[in-house]
């Protein structure tokens, strides 16, 4: 049986907590008075500190302690949350991640500078402590219930297996001591004879007298993540009657022997309504946060590599099922045909279920860019509202991973080039705060991801001038605005007047185009001068299995992604005559250039007498592909080409057909570019 690495478990749990912390801090920057957000930030920091100390990440625990203290002061109202504290806390979050992932490569000077900045900000707000300490009369009535006048008496005992689960009761007692002076008395009544003692069982209880006027919540927070594995009773010293919280049931005789123990009837009533299930494994560091999501359905963490392996196995099963179906239908045995149909149904269901498991909501990707917008807005001095729409739209996890870098470039460009300065926006009667909207939606078998800003829009004249300067177009050539805007995606093209850390080298949009085309997607770019620009990425749902159209060109068979196919028509002799060698086809009054795949692929033998034209479209550009035969639709499992075929741009992959032979998958985006280039070279005469 594979043993879990505690350090690896902590790193994974800490990564989730740090992601949640970043989201909470960004929200807190917009609503600094939100008590729920302040509490959430404190809990995340408290968990990271406690778990870090437990698993040996002492530098993490020591560094996090200062920020936990700061948010504790904010919770108590002694200082206010503000933009500066949120900003330094975001820097601290990044430093904590570095301490966890690469502690040896992390410069301690950076951590010291962050802590010094925090202390400076806290010191600025210390004057509020005296004023904030005076609670209004309405709140004063409940103050004695929230804090122990003269201190607290705390009685606690843990389940026997808590040591095996990784918790350290002595460390929890140390946390109590940080709240104030403590007197700790052990209860040894449950200890057996020495011969029967199990060193891994926790049989000692404690009674703690805490001489500190702290809130009850501060004590409860110490035991936040072990509450289900202990009995905790808290009472003000002035009352002497502990407040019983749900937990496991101790033997009543033992409980009665404890100082200030709860009344047996109260204890039995509480534990009867809160039974403790048996536990076989320790709760993760984020158990308290995860427990809140149980009502929404339980989840299981699975390594991404296992999902990839499962998808590969399902792909092989789909190929084998296709071969079985072809063999079954070529014979006359009805029983074999029935089995083949049943396996086809099961394979189809398994394929859909596996692809569903791999689907990830876009919100998991969109959340990453809030920090990007926050930092760029600060660095460039441009206030920006970042709005996301369609977070529930799902895509394959592989698509999500590849989409991150292109969106980073698009959002950077939108803020750097699109959104104007405060002064420029004021001169055009715009709001001082810019707006960037990141949205996702389904359109057929595609997902459309759009980055839209309300900036100045594209300067078409400047783009054209830069293109002429670089020799990309001849001066005076007739080009549409859409064609001019496409120069933005040319390698090395930039309209920036100066090179900065963000832009000016002309590589960002080139990266976007190459990445999106590698994902079999397309880019639509629109702009309205003075009102902003919009970049839409058209993407398939998945890169693993697609619906394809199986065609024949000469003796070879090929696959065209069905999502790119608009219609199929016959290339008649009249169409051939009208084109007059210019390779244009009139489709309902619109001229569509077409490519003869026989010529591109150097197919041998005579062409079929009734050739077909498959009209495809990518990003609003249409092109026809002339083929010999359309065989039909085909469930296509995509296999990547080897590195030896890296320069073969017309194909994006390959698949295995039912008879065991291979078929290449056409890269429609590359064919559209090729056809468009030929159309530019040979403009047709009016039909």
């Amino acid at each position: 049986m594979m043993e879990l690495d505690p350090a690896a478990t902590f790193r994974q749990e800490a990564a989730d907590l740090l992601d949640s912390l970043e989201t909470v801090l960004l929200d807190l920057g917009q609503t600094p008075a939100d008590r729920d957000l302040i509490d959430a930030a404190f809990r995340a920091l408290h968990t990271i500190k406690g778990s870090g100390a437990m698993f040996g990440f002492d530098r993490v625990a020591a560094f996090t302690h200062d920020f936990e203290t700061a948010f504790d002061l904010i919770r108590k109202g002694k200082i206010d949350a503000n933009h500066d504290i949120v900003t330094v806390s975001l820097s601290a979050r990044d430093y904590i991640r570095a301490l966890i992932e690469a502690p040896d490569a992390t410069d301690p000077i950076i951590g010291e500078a962050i802590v010094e900045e925090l202390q400076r900000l806290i010191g600025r707000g210390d004057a509020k402590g005296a004023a904030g300490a005076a609670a209004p009369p309405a709140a004063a009535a409940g103050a004695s219930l929230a804090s122990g006048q003269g201190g607290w008496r705390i009685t606690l005992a843990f389940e026997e297996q808590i040591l095996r689960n990784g918790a350290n009761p002595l460390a929890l007692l140390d946390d109590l001591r940080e709240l104030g002076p403590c007197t700790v008395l052990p209860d040894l009544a449950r200890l057996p004879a020495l011969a029967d003692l199990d060193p891994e069982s926790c049989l000692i209880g404690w009674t703690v007298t805490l001489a500190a006027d702290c809130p009850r919540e501060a004590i409860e927070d110490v035991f936040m993540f072990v509450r289900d594995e202990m009995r905790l009773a808290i009472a003000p010293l002035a009352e002497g009657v502990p407040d019983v919280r749900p937990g496991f049931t101790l033997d009543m005789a033992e409980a009665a022997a404890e100082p200030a123990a709860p009344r047996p009837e109260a204890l039995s009533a509480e534990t009867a309504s809160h039974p403790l299930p048996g536990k076989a494994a320790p709760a993760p560091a984020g158990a308290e946060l995860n427990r809140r999501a149980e009502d929404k359905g339980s989840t299981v963490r699975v390594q991404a590599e296992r999902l990839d392996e499962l998808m590969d196995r399902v792909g092989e099963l789909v190929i084998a099922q296709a071969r079985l179906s072809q063999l079954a239908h070529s014979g006359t045995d009805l029983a074999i045909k029935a089995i083949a149909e049943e396996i086809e149904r099961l394979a189809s269901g398994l394929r859909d279920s596996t692809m569903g498991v791999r689907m990830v909501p876009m919100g998991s990707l969109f959340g990453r860019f809030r920090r990007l917008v926050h930092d760029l807005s600060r660095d460039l001095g441009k206030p920006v509202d970042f709005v996301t729409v369609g977070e529930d739209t799902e895509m394959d996890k592989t698509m999500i991973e590849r989409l991150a870098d292109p969106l980073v470039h698009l959002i950077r460009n939108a803020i750097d080039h699109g959104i104007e300065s405060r002064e420029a926006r004021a001169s055009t009667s715009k709001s001082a705060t810019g707006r960037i909207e990141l949205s996702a939606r389904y359109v057929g078998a595609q997902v459309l991801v759009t980055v839209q800003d309300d900036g100045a829009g594209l300067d078409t004249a400047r783009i054209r001038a830069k293109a002429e300067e670089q020799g990309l177009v001849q001066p005076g050539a007739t080009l549409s605005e859409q064609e001019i805007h496409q120069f933005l995606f040319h390698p090395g093209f930039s309209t920036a007047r100066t090179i900065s850390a963000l832009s000016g080298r002309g590589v960002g949009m080139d990266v976007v185009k190459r990445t999106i085309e590698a994902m079999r997607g397309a880019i639509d770019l629109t702009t309205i001068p003075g009102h902003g620009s919009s970049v839409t990425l058209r993407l398939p749902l998945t890169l693993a299995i697609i619906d394809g159209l199986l065609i024949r060109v000469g003796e070879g068979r090929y696959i065209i992604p069905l999502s790119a196919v608009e219609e199929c028509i016959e290339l008649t002799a009249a169409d051939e005559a009208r084109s007059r060698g210019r390779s244009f086809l009139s489709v309902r009054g619109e001229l569509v250039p077409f490519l003869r795949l026989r010529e591109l692929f150097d197919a041998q033998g005579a062409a079929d007498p009734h050739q077909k034209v498959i009209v495809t479209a990518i990003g609003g550009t249409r092109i026809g592909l002339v083929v010999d035969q359309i065989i039909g639709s085909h469930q296509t499992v995509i296999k990547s080409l080897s590195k030896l075929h890296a320069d073969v741009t017309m194909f994006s992959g390959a698949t295995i057909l039912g008879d065991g032979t291979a078929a290449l998958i056409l890269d429609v985006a590359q064919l559209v570019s090729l056809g468009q280039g030929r159309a530019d070279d040979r403009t047709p005469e009016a039909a």
Side-chain angles (χ1 to χ4, degrees):
M1 183 177 66
M2 182 179 63
E3 295 184 1
L4 294 178
D5 180 6
T9 302
F10 167 72
R11 288 190 179 95
Q12 183 60 61
E13 293 293 339
D16 294 341
L17 285 169
L18 289 172
D19 289 342
S20 300
L21 178 61
E22 182 178 76
T23 300
V24 167
L25 290 173
L26 291 171
D27 290 338
L28 190 61
Q30 298 176 351
T31 55
D34 192 318
R35 178 59 186 264
D36 291 338
L37 293 175
I38 295 170
D39 289 342
F42 174 80
R43 285 194 298 269
L45 291 166
H46 180 79
T47 304
I48 293 171
K49 185 194 83 168
S51 300
M54 182 183 301
F55 289 103
F57 290 80
D58 296 333
R59 290 178 63 190
V60 172
F63 179 81
T64 308
H65 174 75
D66 291 298
F67 283 85
E68 179 196 24
T69 302
F71 275 88
D72 190 35
L73 293 174
I74 296 173
R75 289 201 314 162
K76 295 174 180 177
K78 295 184 178 180
I79 61 175
D80 290 328
N82 55 50
H83 184 270
D84 291 338
I85 289 180
V86 168
T87 299
V88 73
S89 297
L90 285 169
S91 299
R93 176 258 182 200
D94 296 340
Y95 188 73
I96 293 170
R97 181 183 289 277
L99 283 176
I100 293 173
E101 295 179 351
D104 295 335
T106 306
D107 190 346
I109 297 178
I110 298 175
E112 294 171 3
I114 294 173
V115 172
E116 288 177 3
E117 176 65 13
L118 175 69
Q119 296 298 336
R120 184 182 67 82
L121 295 173
I122 293 177
R124 180 190 302 168
D126 275 347
K128 187 179 182 296
S144 62
L145 298 178
S147 63
Q149 295 179 351
W152 299 93
R153 176 173 288 115
I154 307 160
T155 305
L156 58 144
F158 298 94
E159 280 189 339
E160 294 184 10
Q161 72 268 22
I162 193 169
L163 296 176
R164 302 187 189 95
N165 291 349
N168 184 354
L170 297 181
L172 298 174
L173 292 175
D174 288 339
D175 288 342
L176 280 180
R177 291 188 178 94
E178 292 184 3
L179 300 177
C182 289
T183 300
V184 182
L185 297 176
D187 175 16
L188 309 179
R190 297 167 62 196
L191 283 179
L194 183 59
D196 300 327
L197 182 64
D198 180 1
E200 294 186 353
S201 296
C202 181
L203 300 174
I204 302 177
W206 289 271
T207 299
V208 181
T209 301
L210 175 60
D213 187 15
C214 62
R216 182 191 303 273
E217 290 80 3
I219 300 173
E220 293 175 342
D221 285 343
V222 171
F223 304 99
M224 182 184 302
F225 300 110
V226 293
R227 289 290 290 275
D228 286 348
E229 300 175 284
M230 68 177 300
R231 180 177 58 77
L232 176 65
I234 307 171
L237 288 177
E239 299 178 13
V241 179
D243 175 25
V244 179
R245 294 292 190 239
F248 70 96
T249 306
L250 291 176
D251 182 77
M252 289 299 102
E254 295 177 357
E258 296 180 2
R263 296 184 301 273
E265 63 271 20
L267 181 60
S268 59
E270 288 284 352
T271 53
S273 61
H274 297 85
L276 179 71
K279 294 180 174 60
E288 179 70 17
L289 299 179
N290 294 336
R291 197 174 296 124
R292 299 180 179 184
E294 288 181 354
D295 293 337
K296 301 180 182 179
S298 59
T299 59
V300 177
R301 190 187 302 277
V302 179
Q303 292 180 349
E305 293 79 5
R306 294 189 177 184
L307 287 180
D308 293 337
E309 183 179 355
L310 177 60
M311 193 71 245
D312 290 341
R313 295 290 183 269
V314 171
E316 297 297 332
L317 177 61
V318 169
I319 293 172
Q321 172 267 317
R323 298 186 65 183
L324 175 61
S325 296
Q326 182 169 332
L327 291 174
H329 286 88
S330 64
T332 58
D333 192 325
L334 296 180
I336 296 296
K337 289 184 178 181
I339 293 174
E341 291 176 357
E342 179 68 10
I343 291 178
E344 181 178 1
R345 182 183 66 82
L346 294 174
S348 177
L350 179 60
R351 180 201 67 222
D352 294 340
S353 297
T354 303
M355 292 182 65
V357 170
R358 290 170 56 94
M359 301 300 279
V360 178
M362 296 293 291
S364 63
L365 175 64
F366 287 1
R368 305 180 193 178
F369 303 120
R370 295 186 61 198
R371 177 69 181 280
L372 174 67
V373 173
H374 173 275
D375 292 347
L376 288 177
S377 174
R378 177 198 61 203
D379 296 341
L380 297 175
K382 298 178 179 179
V384 176
D385 282 339
F386 182 57
V387 181
T388 58
V389 179
E391 294 93 336
D392 294 336
T393 305
E394 294 184 334
M395 289 184 70
D396 188 282
K397 73 174 189 65
T398 304
M399 302 289 288
I400 293 283
E401 293 166 358
R402 297 190 184 185
L403 193 56
D405 285 345
L407 288 179
V408 167
H409 288 295
L410 292 177
I411 292 173
R412 278 180 175 173
N413 276 355
I415 298 178
D416 191 16
H417 299 296
I419 302 295
E420 312 96 322
S421 64
R422 293 173 184 263
E423 296 76 14
R425 293 182 69 87
S427 65
T428 56
S429 301
K430 287 185 177 181
S431 168
T433 302
R435 174 187 170 92
I436 292 180
E437 180 178 295
L438 177 59
S439 63
R441 59 191 176 95
Y442 294 115
V443 175
Q446 291 183 317
V447 174
L448 269 57
V449 181
T450 302
V451 178
Q452 184 173 1
D453 66 72
D454 68 343
L458 297 178
D459 188 339
T460 304
R462 186 177 175 189
I463 295 173
R464 175 170 187 133
K466 192 69 174 180
E468 292 178 354
E469 178 186 330
Q470 294 187 4
L472 301 178
V473 62
Q474 294 297 322
T478 302
L479 294 175
S480 66
E481 284 194 355
Q482 183 178 3
E483 291 172 330
I484 294 175
H485 295 160
Q486 290 301 310
F487 289 123
L488 294 173
F489 300 102
H490 192 276
F493 188 91
S494 175
T495 58
R497 292 184 172 89
T498 59
I499 296 177
S500 68
L502 294 178
S503 61
R505 300 187 183 276
V507 295
M509 298 300 283
D510 175 39
V511 170
V512 172
K513 182 178 181 180
R514 286 189 285 108
T515 303
I516 298 304
E517 288 181 350
M519 297 165 66
R520 300 196 311 277
I523 304 174
D524 297 338
L525 178 61
T526 59
T527 186
I528 301 176
H531 296 279
S533 303
S534 175
V535 180
T536 299
L537 310 178
R538 297 178 176 270
L539 300 163
L541 287 174
T542 179
L543 293 176
I545 298 178
I546 63 170
D547 290 321
L549 188 66
L550 182 61
I551 62 170
R552 180 178 60 82
V553 178
E555 299 300 324
R557 287 178 290 179
Y558 305 89
I559 297 288
I560 299 177
L562 204 55
S563 60
V565 176
E566 283 196 346
E567 59 183 313
C568 301
I569 58 180
E570 185 173 344
L571 183 64
T572 63
D575 293 328
E576 286 273 26
R578 278 196 297 268
S579 68
R580 285 175 288 186
R582 296 181 184 273
S583 299
F584 279 87
L585 186 68
S586 178
V587 180
R588 290 182 292 278
E590 180 182 353
L591 289 176
V592 177
F594 63 81
L595 295 174
R596 301 176 187 273
L597 295 187
R598 290 185 60 88
E599 296 177 2
L600 284 179
F601 301 159
D602 195 20
Q604 302 297 317
D608 282 23
H610 303 289
Q611 291 189 306
K612 307 298 187 292
V613 179
I614 301 172
V615 180
T616 62
I618 292 290
T621 303
R622 307 172 75 201
I623 187 173
L625 303 176
V626 181
V627 304
D628 288 330
Q629 181 186 4
I630 299 174
I631 300 175
S633 61
H634 186 272
Q635 194 73 229
T636 304
V637 179
I638 301 174
K639 301 292 185 181
S640 300
L641 298 177
S642 70
K643 295 181 179 179
L644 296 176
H645 301 88
D647 58 341
V648 182
T649 59
M650 288 185 293
F651 305 109
S652 59
T655 189
I656 306 298
L657 301 179
D659 59 2
T661 60
L664 293 171
I665 302 170
L666 299 183
D667 190 329
V668 178
Q670 292 292 337
L671 292 174
V672 166
S673 298
L674 178 61
Q676 190 65 37
R678 294 190 177 186
D680 293 340
D681 295 337
R682 297 182 295 180
T683 303
E685 299 174 2

